[in-house]
Amino acid sequence: MDPVTLGVVALMGAVATIGGAAEDLESDIGSQSNPNSQVQLAPQMGHLHRMINKAASGEPVAYGVWCGIAGAIAFILMEFSVFPIIAIAMGACVAALVHGIYTVTAHMGRIVGQSQFEQPLFMDVLTQSLGPIVGHGFITTFCLVGVSYLMIIPINGTALHVFPLPLLAMLWGIALGAIGSSTGDVHYGAESEYQKFDFGGGTPVAIQGDIVTKAPVGAKNSMDVVNFCAKFGGPLTGLCFGLVVFFSFWNTVVFGIYGGIVVGIIIVILLIILNDRLEVFARNAYGPYEEE
């Protein structure tokens, strides 16, 4: 076991945890996920809303683009001898700028497309949400490009991966987008946006768009959503992604290639059993689990 390599792997897991949490919170602000993106159906159901609606694509595709842009810019700058952390920050800035443009055009385009349902375009909603969206997006792309860079630097003469920086960044962006879509969703869609329905009921087609539009004080907006998600959905997404990154390399660093494969299989089996026990406990304790 190489302690230096193990330390780098631990650092990658910590950075990935921060990036994962920021990614989920950004998508929650912008309603870019499923069931988060069901705000697009709300006007058709007679529920006018004050939430950002920029989900022109899923999170995996979007974050593959943001991280790919940031990774490519950072790679080019490092070829011109720019210090790596500065190059990564500059790449993340460019990606954040593109992210902001995408947010404005996607949200305004969606709302205009819903004008036949009398959904108004609230400019204050767009302006107050744009900063948090771009800020969280910057943190995410910076962290993921940073993780990708740690994978390509030679540690004791050998890098953790042979792929170039832009490709690694894009792949990690796709992976994190998928994790954010699956792990973080329940803490927005099933518990906040559809809070008038029983826990564990999911979001069947019959209730899509039938969202809650009132907050404790005034109309529900994107800031209410991200404040709610910062308690559970964001941290859980970050923890999930951080563990994925850490365990992707920890087992082979500690146990070698073949031993790492065996340990990885054991970890997956244990996680499946733990997930099953946790789901059954949650449904029995907090909500109905109806038989077919």
Side-chain angles (χ1 to χ4, degrees):
M1 180 179 69
D2 180 10
V4 176
T5 304
L6 187 61
V8 172
V9 170
L11 177 61
M12 289 167 54
V15 173
T17 300
I18 298 172
E23 186 278 338
D24 181 68
L25 297 180
E26 184 279 323
S27 69
D28 290 324
I29 300 171
S31 303
Q32 183 171 351
S33 189
N34 184 20
N36 302 11
S37 59
Q38 295 307 320
V39 296
Q40 66 185 283
L41 298 178
Q44 301 176 43
M45 300 291 291
H47 303 297
L48 305 185
H49 62 82
R50 289 177 55 85
M51 290 188 246
I52 290 291
N53 184 14
K54 68 176 181 66
S57 71
E59 290 177 63
V61 175
Y63 272 91
V65 173
W66 313 145
C67 295
I69 292 173
I73 297 295
F75 179 79
I76 293 172
L77 292 175
M78 280 187 273
E79 288 294 309
F80 287 94
S81 301
V82 177
F83 196 66
I85 194 170
I86 297 177
I88 294 171
M90 293 176 68
C93 283
V94 175
L97 177 62
V98 177
H99 195 162
I101 296 171
Y102 163 88
T103 298
V104 173
T105 55
H107 172 71
M108 296 182 71
R110 276 187 174 277
I111 298 301
V112 170
Q114 295 172 333
S115 60
Q116 60 181 315
F117 304 107
E118 301 183 354
Q119 169 65 47
L121 173 60
F122 298 103
M123 294 305 296
D124 62 322
V125 171
L126 181 59
T127 54
Q128 76 174 359
S129 302
L130 191 58
I133 287 173
V134 172
H136 283 85
F138 171 85
I139 294 172
T140 302
T141 52
F142 180 85
C143 290
L144 264 64
V145 177
V147 168
S148 303
Y149 176 72
L150 290 174
M151 291 175 60
I152 65 171
I153 58 175
I155 305 172
N156 295 330
T158 305
L160 291 172
H161 212 288
V162 297
F163 281 5
L165 179 62
L167 181 57
L168 278 176
M170 182 189 69
L171 292 175
W172 277 127
I174 294 173
L176 177 54
I179 291 172
S181 289
S182 58
T183 304
D185 268 6
V186 66
H187 301 284
Y188 174 18
E191 293 188 8
S192 177
E193 195 173 40
Y194 293 94
Q195 60 187 261
K196 62 185 178 182
F197 296 98
D198 290 337
F199 177 82
T203 52
V205 176
I207 67 172
Q208 288 187 1
D210 190 14
I211 65 173
V212 174
T213 59
K214 294 182 179 180
V217 179
K220 191 179 184 71
N221 59 47
S222 296
M223 294 300 101
D224 295 316
V225 172
V226 72
N227 288 335
F228 181 88
C229 295
K231 300 176 183 178
F232 299 106
L236 280 179
T237 302
L239 178 63
C240 177
F241 185 59
L243 290 175
V244 167
V245 172
F246 179 75
F247 283 121
S248 295
F249 300 97
W250 167 82
N251 51 350
T252 54
V253 171
V254 175
F255 299 100
I257 297 178
Y258 298 107
I261 294 174
V262 175
V263 172
I265 294 174
I266 294 174
I267 291 174
V268 170
I269 294 174
L270 290 176
L271 288 175
I272 292 173
I273 296 173
L274 178 63
N275 182 73
D276 176 73
R277 294 297 88 200
L278 181 62
E279 180 180 355
V280 172
F281 167 77
R283 290 184 181 275
N284 289 337
Y286 301 109
Y289 193 99
E290 298 181 359
E291 297 292 340
E292 292 292 337

mmCIF file of all heavy atoms in Angstrom, residues 13 20-21 24 53 73-74 94 116-117 120 125 156 161 171 179 200 207 217 234 242 263 270 272 280 289:
data_model
loop_
_atom_site.group_PDB
_atom_site.id
_atom_site.type_symbol
_atom_site.label_atom_id
_atom_site.label_comp_id
_atom_site.label_asym_id
_atom_site.label_seq_id
_atom_site.Cartn_x
_atom_site.Cartn_y
_atom_site.Cartn_z
ATOM 1 N N GLY A 13 -11.786 12.008 -2.750
ATOM 2 C CA GLY A 13 -13.102 11.743 -2.186
ATOM 3 C C GLY A 13 -13.678 12.948 -1.475
ATOM 4 O O GLY A 13 -14.877 13.243 -1.588
ATOM 5 N N GLY A 20 -20.265 17.219 -5.239
ATOM 6 C CA GLY A 20 -21.548 16.526 -5.351
ATOM 7 C C GLY A 20 -22.668 17.259 -4.658
ATOM 8 O O GLY A 20 -23.784 17.369 -5.183
ATOM 9 N N ALA A 21 -22.392 17.796 -3.470
ATOM 10 C CA ALA A 21 -23.410 18.559 -2.754
ATOM 11 C C ALA A 21 -23.794 19.811 -3.531
ATOM 12 O O ALA A 21 -24.979 20.150 -3.650
ATOM 13 C CB ALA A 21 -22.905 18.923 -1.361
ATOM 14 N N ASP A 24 -26.089 19.000 -6.628
ATOM 15 C CA ASP A 24 -27.498 18.727 -6.345
ATOM 16 C C ASP A 24 -28.242 20.006 -5.992
ATOM 17 O O ASP A 24 -29.378 20.208 -6.431
ATOM 18 C CB ASP A 24 -27.612 17.720 -5.201
ATOM 19 C CG ASP A 24 -29.060 17.380 -4.896
ATOM 20 O OD1 ASP A 24 -29.708 16.740 -5.746
ATOM 21 O OD2 ASP A 24 -29.550 17.769 -3.829
ATOM 22 N N ASN A 53 -37.053 27.279 -14.146
ATOM 23 C CA ASN A 53 -37.380 26.068 -14.897
ATOM 24 C C ASN A 53 -36.457 25.991 -16.109
ATOM 25 O O ASN A 53 -36.805 26.395 -17.203
ATOM 26 C CB ASN A 53 -38.853 26.110 -15.329
ATOM 27 C CG ASN A 53 -39.274 24.837 -16.033
ATOM 28 O OD1 ASN A 53 -38.576 23.842 -15.982
ATOM 29 N ND2 ASN A 53 -40.409 24.891 -16.694
ATOM 30 N N ILE A 73 -10.575 23.946 -21.095
ATOM 31 C CA ILE A 73 -9.920 25.238 -20.878
ATOM 32 C C ILE A 73 -8.716 25.072 -19.949
ATOM 33 O O ILE A 73 -7.625 25.609 -20.214
ATOM 34 C CB ILE A 73 -10.911 26.263 -20.288
ATOM 35 C CG1 ILE A 73 -12.056 26.524 -21.271
ATOM 36 C CG2 ILE A 73 -10.192 27.559 -19.943
ATOM 37 C CD1 ILE A 73 -11.633 27.173 -22.556
ATOM 38 N N ALA A 74 -8.897 24.327 -18.865
ATOM 39 C CA ALA A 74 -7.798 24.110 -17.926
ATOM 40 C C ALA A 74 -6.638 23.371 -18.597
ATOM 41 O O ALA A 74 -5.459 23.709 -18.383
ATOM 42 C CB ALA A 74 -8.291 23.318 -16.712
ATOM 43 N N VAL A 94 -15.143 29.976 -17.002
ATOM 44 C CA VAL A 94 -15.719 29.946 -18.349
ATOM 45 C C VAL A 94 -16.955 29.052 -18.378
ATOM 46 O O VAL A 94 -17.990 29.415 -18.960
ATOM 47 C CB VAL A 94 -14.672 29.457 -19.373
ATOM 48 C CG1 VAL A 94 -15.303 29.299 -20.751
ATOM 49 C CG2 VAL A 94 -13.497 30.425 -19.437
ATOM 50 N N GLN A 116 -49.399 30.214 -23.175
ATOM 51 C CA GLN A 116 -50.797 29.882 -23.463
ATOM 52 C C GLN A 116 -51.530 29.429 -22.206
ATOM 53 O O GLN A 116 -52.761 29.450 -22.167
ATOM 54 C CB GLN A 116 -50.855 28.790 -24.529
ATOM 55 C CG GLN A 116 -50.162 27.493 -24.140
ATOM 56 C CD GLN A 116 -50.230 26.456 -25.241
ATOM 57 O OE1 GLN A 116 -51.276 26.248 -25.837
ATOM 58 N NE2 GLN A 116 -49.096 25.810 -25.532
ATOM 59 N N PHE A 117 -50.772 29.037 -21.166
ATOM 60 C CA PHE A 117 -51.395 28.662 -19.895
ATOM 61 C C PHE A 117 -51.349 29.823 -18.910
ATOM 62 O O PHE A 117 -51.576 29.628 -17.709
ATOM 63 C CB PHE A 117 -50.679 27.443 -19.306
ATOM 64 C CG PHE A 117 -50.638 26.266 -20.232
ATOM 65 C CD1 PHE A 117 -49.458 25.899 -20.858
ATOM 66 C CD2 PHE A 117 -51.792 25.542 -20.508
ATOM 67 C CE1 PHE A 117 -49.416 24.814 -21.723
ATOM 68 C CE2 PHE A 117 -51.757 24.462 -21.373
ATOM 69 C CZ PHE A 117 -50.568 24.105 -21.983
ATOM 70 N N PRO A 120 -46.759 33.661 -16.111
ATOM 71 C CA PRO A 120 -45.981 34.881 -16.330
ATOM 72 C C PRO A 120 -44.475 34.638 -16.191
ATOM 73 O O PRO A 120 -44.044 33.667 -15.548
ATOM 74 C CB PRO A 120 -46.487 35.827 -15.239
ATOM 75 C CG PRO A 120 -46.950 34.922 -14.152
ATOM 76 C CD PRO A 120 -47.455 33.668 -14.811
ATOM 77 N N VAL A 125 -37.504 36.547 -10.170
ATOM 78 C CA VAL A 125 -37.202 35.133 -9.915
ATOM 79 C C VAL A 125 -35.912 34.739 -10.625
ATOM 80 O O VAL A 125 -35.042 34.054 -10.058
ATOM 81 C CB VAL A 125 -38.370 34.246 -10.381
ATOM 82 C CG1 VAL A 125 -37.985 32.773 -10.326
ATOM 83 C CG2 VAL A 125 -39.603 34.500 -9.533
ATOM 84 N N ASN A 156 4.422 8.897 -7.678
ATOM 85 C CA ASN A 156 5.494 7.891 -7.650
ATOM 86 C C ASN A 156 5.729 7.298 -9.037
ATOM 87 O O ASN A 156 5.986 6.100 -9.185
ATOM 88 C CB ASN A 156 5.173 6.786 -6.641
ATOM 89 C CG ASN A 156 5.136 7.304 -5.215
ATOM 90 O OD1 ASN A 156 5.836 8.253 -4.874
ATOM 91 N ND2 ASN A 156 4.310 6.687 -4.379
ATOM 92 N N HIS A 161 -4.943 7.275 -13.803
ATOM 93 C CA HIS A 161 -5.699 7.006 -15.020
ATOM 94 C C HIS A 161 -4.947 7.542 -16.224
ATOM 95 O O HIS A 161 -4.159 8.487 -16.112
ATOM 96 C CB HIS A 161 -7.084 7.650 -14.938
ATOM 97 C CG HIS A 161 -8.146 6.887 -15.666
ATOM 98 N ND1 HIS A 161 -8.219 6.839 -17.047
ATOM 99 C CD2 HIS A 161 -9.179 6.122 -15.221
ATOM 100 C CE1 HIS A 161 -9.252 6.094 -17.408
ATOM 101 N NE2 HIS A 161 -9.844 5.636 -16.313
ATOM 102 N N LEU A 171 -16.519 12.816 -18.214
ATOM 103 C CA LEU A 171 -17.071 11.564 -17.703
ATOM 104 C C LEU A 171 -17.508 11.696 -16.244
ATOM 105 O O LEU A 171 -18.563 11.192 -15.856
ATOM 106 C CB LEU A 171 -16.041 10.443 -17.854
ATOM 107 C CG LEU A 171 -15.712 10.022 -19.289
ATOM 108 C CD1 LEU A 171 -14.602 8.987 -19.303
ATOM 109 C CD2 LEU A 171 -16.950 9.498 -19.995
ATOM 110 N N ILE A 179 -25.867 10.745 -10.519
ATOM 111 C CA ILE A 179 -26.016 10.549 -9.081
ATOM 112 C C ILE A 179 -26.922 11.616 -8.488
ATOM 113 O O ILE A 179 -27.774 11.348 -7.634
ATOM 114 C CB ILE A 179 -24.638 10.554 -8.399
ATOM 115 C CG1 ILE A 179 -23.863 9.298 -8.799
ATOM 116 C CG2 ILE A 179 -24.768 10.633 -6.877
ATOM 117 C CD1 ILE A 179 -22.426 9.296 -8.342
ATOM 118 N N GLY A 200 -43.679 8.137 0.372
ATOM 119 C CA GLY A 200 -43.535 6.822 -0.232
ATOM 120 C C GLY A 200 -44.429 6.610 -1.429
ATOM 121 O O GLY A 200 -44.375 5.570 -2.081
ATOM 122 N N ILE A 207 -50.212 12.630 -10.913
ATOM 123 C CA ILE A 207 -50.004 13.822 -10.091
ATOM 124 C C ILE A 207 -48.874 14.707 -10.617
ATOM 125 O O ILE A 207 -48.534 15.704 -9.974
ATOM 126 C CB ILE A 207 -49.715 13.448 -8.627
ATOM 127 C CG1 ILE A 207 -48.368 12.739 -8.498
ATOM 128 C CG2 ILE A 207 -50.830 12.602 -8.058
ATOM 129 C CD1 ILE A 207 -47.937 12.516 -7.062
ATOM 130 N N VAL A 217 -44.384 31.519 3.954
ATOM 131 C CA VAL A 217 -44.652 32.949 3.803
ATOM 132 C C VAL A 217 -44.612 33.282 2.319
ATOM 133 O O VAL A 217 -43.543 33.347 1.721
ATOM 134 C CB VAL A 217 -43.622 33.811 4.571
ATOM 135 C CG1 VAL A 217 -43.929 35.298 4.371
ATOM 136 C CG2 VAL A 217 -43.625 33.474 6.051
ATOM 137 N N GLY A 234 -28.748 17.662 -0.743
ATOM 138 C CA GLY A 234 -27.397 18.053 -1.130
ATOM 139 C C GLY A 234 -26.312 17.258 -0.422
ATOM 140 O O GLY A 234 -25.439 16.667 -1.075
ATOM 141 N N GLY A 242 -18.866 11.260 -3.242
ATOM 142 C CA GLY A 242 -17.559 11.153 -2.615
ATOM 143 C C GLY A 242 -17.164 9.715 -2.353
ATOM 144 O O GLY A 242 -16.014 9.313 -2.580
ATOM 145 N N VAL A 263 -12.777 -7.151 -3.263
ATOM 146 C CA VAL A 263 -13.275 -6.239 -2.230
ATOM 147 C C VAL A 263 -14.389 -5.363 -2.781
ATOM 148 O O VAL A 263 -15.398 -5.099 -2.104
ATOM 149 C CB VAL A 263 -12.123 -5.381 -1.675
ATOM 150 C CG1 VAL A 263 -12.659 -4.295 -0.745
ATOM 151 C CG2 VAL A 263 -11.118 -6.260 -0.936
ATOM 152 N N LEU A 270 -22.810 -5.643 0.021
ATOM 153 C CA LEU A 270 -23.180 -5.084 1.324
ATOM 154 C C LEU A 270 -24.058 -3.844 1.173
ATOM 155 O O LEU A 270 -25.022 -3.657 1.925
ATOM 156 C CB LEU A 270 -21.920 -4.734 2.118
ATOM 157 C CG LEU A 270 -21.083 -5.917 2.615
ATOM 158 C CD1 LEU A 270 -19.820 -5.430 3.301
ATOM 159 C CD2 LEU A 270 -21.899 -6.795 3.562
ATOM 160 N N ILE A 272 -26.108 -3.193 -1.324
ATOM 161 C CA ILE A 272 -27.440 -3.628 -1.760
ATOM 162 C C ILE A 272 -28.272 -4.098 -0.575
ATOM 163 O O ILE A 272 -29.451 -3.734 -0.426
ATOM 164 C CB ILE A 272 -27.309 -4.750 -2.817
ATOM 165 C CG1 ILE A 272 -26.711 -4.190 -4.118
ATOM 166 C CG2 ILE A 272 -28.676 -5.381 -3.098
ATOM 167 C CD1 ILE A 272 -26.406 -5.260 -5.145
ATOM 168 N N VAL A 280 -37.010 -0.655 3.575
ATOM 169 C CA VAL A 280 -38.115 -1.324 4.263
ATOM 170 C C VAL A 280 -38.389 -0.650 5.602
ATOM 171 O O VAL A 280 -39.547 -0.415 5.976
ATOM 172 C CB VAL A 280 -37.791 -2.818 4.452
ATOM 173 C CG1 VAL A 280 -38.842 -3.476 5.349
ATOM 174 C CG2 VAL A 280 -37.727 -3.526 3.107
ATOM 175 N N TYR A 289 -46.798 1.184 2.685
ATOM 176 C CA TYR A 289 -46.167 0.395 1.627
ATOM 177 C C TYR A 289 -47.255 -0.550 1.103
ATOM 178 O O TYR A 289 -47.481 -1.631 1.637
ATOM 179 C CB TYR A 289 -44.986 -0.400 2.169
ATOM 180 C CG TYR A 289 -44.103 -0.996 1.091
ATOM 181 C CD1 TYR A 289 -42.929 -0.381 0.711
ATOM 182 C CD2 TYR A 289 -44.471 -2.164 0.437
ATOM 183 C CE1 TYR A 289 -42.106 -0.914 -0.268
ATOM 184 C CE2 TYR A 289 -43.674 -2.713 -0.549
ATOM 185 C CZ TYR A 289 -42.489 -2.089 -0.891
ATOM 186 O OH TYR A 289 -41.695 -2.609 -1.887
#
